Amino acid sequence: MLFKKLFLTIFLMSLLSSAGAQSAADTVCHEVLLATTMGNIRVKLYNDTPLHRDNFLKLVRAGFYDGMLFHRVIANFMIQTGDPKSREAHTGEVLGNHSEGEKIPAEIRWPEHWHKRGALAAAREGDDTNPERKSSGSQFYIVYGKRFTDLELDTQQRRLDKATSETVKMSSALREAYNKIGGTPHLDGQYTVFGEVTEGLEVVKQIQWADTDEHDRPREDIRIVKATVVR
């Protein structure tokens, strides 16, 4: 009987210890440093989008993003990377149609995570071929966007209404944030935002102003030299 009680006590202590370790792991705010040919960008990953967080960390640790081009850059909008074909792409080659691994189920947490300036989000195929809004297995974008006037936000809301069947409505607080901080509101509620820039927004700004061709690819290659998990 004494042995059984001792075994039960050890077993319960083990469970509590495991639960504590799991809770601690879930509260760690992981950060990744993207060293690019135009400077460093540091991002933190959200824990309430665990599928995207874990997939991104896995790819970074495997060195997947090292040498990757920013293949799609649009001024006052965003910068995009993650096409594995971009590492060895020829000048002028059209990119953006390839990804690594399987699509990731959507983890859209709006309005908690919105497309503010500096938002880190997963690219995906359009609703016509991807109604579940699953994310690319490797392609992501970083928002730069712009600051919007009230009239411009009215236009953005109409655009949102059409794209989301009027299910995504900007609150007054969110409208004020887009006015003061900036971003790309027309994407809200439709793409998974899974992190944000903590350092290097000036680098994002510089990249999004790059001279591009008709396919939005920078005429001079801009690369991620190395991506590293720093926390």
Side-chain angles (χ1 to χ4, degrees):
M1 178 65 88
L2 181 60
F3 176 79
K4 289 184 178 179
K5 287 182 177 180
L6 181 61
F7 176 81
L8 181 60
T9 300
I10 294 173
F11 178 71
L12 289 173
M13 289 178 65
S14 175
L15 285 179
L16 288 171
S17 176
S18 298
Q22 182 65 38
S23 298
D26 288 346
T27 59
V28 171
C29 182
H30 294 280
E31 296 186 8
V32 170
L33 182 68
L34 304 174
T36 82
T37 51
M38 297 187 76
N40 291 344
I41 303 169
R42 187 174 179 131
V43 298
K44 70 176 182 180
L45 309 181
Y46 298 145
N47 287 330
D48 58 0
T49 52
L51 299 178
H52 288 71
R53 176 199 63 198
D54 293 349
N55 182 70
F56 192 65
L57 290 171
K58 178 188 71 175
L59 292 176
V60 170
R61 286 170 175 145
F64 173 79
Y65 290 111
D66 299 353
M68 202 77 69
L69 290 179
F70 285 96
H71 66 268
R72 184 170 179 244
V73 169
I74 302 176
N76 295 320
F77 183 24
M78 58 90 226
I79 61 176
Q80 184 172 335
T81 185
D83 183 338
K85 295 291 185 181
S86 71
R87 286 194 199 87
E88 308 297 332
H90 301 296
T91 300
E93 184 177 345
V94 178
L95 299 168
N97 294 320
H98 300 88
S99 290
E100 183 76 5
E102 301 295 325
K103 293 178 181 177
I104 307 170
E107 294 179 297
I108 299 170
R109 300 196 178 278
W110 185 89
E112 293 91 340
H113 305 318
W114 45 288
H115 281 78
K116 64 183 176 182
R117 180 164 289 172
L120 170 69
R124 66 173 179 83
E125 296 175 353
D127 288 359
D128 52 341
T129 58
N130 180 30
E132 295 178 342
R133 294 174 172 169
K134 293 181 179 180
S135 300
S136 162
S138 61
Q139 289 198 38
F140 67 89
Y141 59 93
I142 299 174
V143 171
Y144 193 77
K146 56 170 283 185
R147 295 184 178 94
F148 290 83
T149 66
D150 286 338
L151 285 177
E152 288 173 329
L153 286 171
D154 290 341
T155 300
Q156 292 294 304
Q157 184 60 67
R158 288 193 290 271
R159 190 172 179 181
L160 275 171
D161 288 344
K162 183 176 180 180
T164 67
S165 301
E166 301 188 8
T167 59
V168 175
K169 297 287 187 181
M170 285 185 282
S171 65
S172 57
L174 193 53
R175 286 175 65 99
E176 182 178 3
Y178 274 124
N179 175 262
K180 293 182 177 179
I181 299 173
T184 57
H186 72 277
L187 299 180
D188 278 349
Q190 303 159 75
Y191 292 77
T192 298
V193 177
F194 64 98
E196 64 182 81
V197 173
T198 58
E199 297 176 20
L201 261 179
E202 69 281 357
V203 178
V204 179
K205 180 180 181 180
Q206 189 177 4
I207 294 173
Q208 56 102 38
W209 278 119
D211 183 34
T212 59
D213 62 19
E214 65 272 22
H215 300 291
D216 301 317
R217 176 179 167 180
R219 295 186 186 280
E220 293 188 13
D221 289 346
I222 303 172
R223 294 184 184 274
I224 297 174
V225 179
K226 186 169 183 61
T228 308
V229 178
V230 291
R231 182 177 177 184

